Amino acid sequence: MVKRAAIIAEARTWIGTPYHHQASTKGAGCDCLGLVRGVWRGVYGKEPEEPPPYSRDWAEAHRQETLADAAGRHMVPVAIADIQPGDVVLFALNERAPAKHCAILTGLDRMVHSYESHPVAEVSLSPWWRRRIRFVFAFPDIEP
């Protein structure tokens, strides 16, 4: 079993990692998916699957819930109303677009994420972000 506190602690060790599209190396570079992948490795070891190469506009180009589908293969879906620290939150940045950004909750109103051209940071889950939540997933084998 994995504790939510271990997920949050691992996510926080990535703070300050520069943004780098498709990367997943703590301290050197990552994007939002790379952050989640890195936290998985830090807590569980080997990743369950490696993502294929993806462009910055993959969600708009394919119009499929690729990120949510992948998360659903390895994580546990959670109702948006039931989010908890340690969960992975997927955001749609446009009402008509699929979810293409992810973050790890560190509190009910805080998250760690990597956003284009910004280093990994712990920020507020502000109303702007909250309105854009499309999916929530818990890491597998979680205990409080």
Side-chain angles (χ1 to χ4, degrees):
M1 298 293 273
V2 172
K3 293 188 181 290
R4 290 178 178 276
I7 292 165
I8 294 165
E10 178 62 27
R12 286 179 170 150
T13 69
W14 286 73
I15 291 173
T17 297
Y19 180 87
H20 187 76
H21 180 65
Q22 293 190 10
S24 184
T25 304
K26 188 188 309 183
C30 70
D31 59 11
C32 64
L33 178 57
L35 169 65
V36 173
R37 292 173 53 217
V39 169
W40 181 291
R41 288 190 310 271
V43 174
Y44 295 94
K46 187 174 177 7
E47 294 176 58
E49 72 178 81
E50 190 169 322
Y54 50 94
S55 65
R56 284 181 164 77
D57 70 343
W58 62 268
E60 295 84 359
H62 298 287
R63 306 220 33 94
Q64 297 174 341
E65 292 292 355
T66 306
L67 189 58
D69 291 345
R73 287 194 292 274
H74 308 291
M75 298 176 147
V76 179
V78 173
I80 293 172
D82 297 331
I83 61 174
Q84 295 184 57
D87 287 343
V88 175
V89 182
L90 276 53
F91 302 93
L93 302 180
N94 176 313
E95 283 183 18
R96 294 172 300 281
K100 71 176 277 185
H101 183 64
C102 52
I104 297 173
L105 291 178
T106 56
L108 293 180
D109 292 314
R110 305 282 300 164
M111 65 182 184
V112 170
H113 74 146
S114 178
Y115 199 65
E116 190 158 352
S117 77
H118 299 288
V120 175
E122 185 168 1
V123 300
S124 172
L125 180 63
S126 66
W128 189 92
W129 282 110
R130 196 173 285 281
R131 282 191 307 273
R132 287 160 176 79
I133 295 174
R134 188 69 64 79
F135 301 96
V136 179
F137 292 91
F139 282 92
D141 302 319
I142 288 286
E143 69 179 43

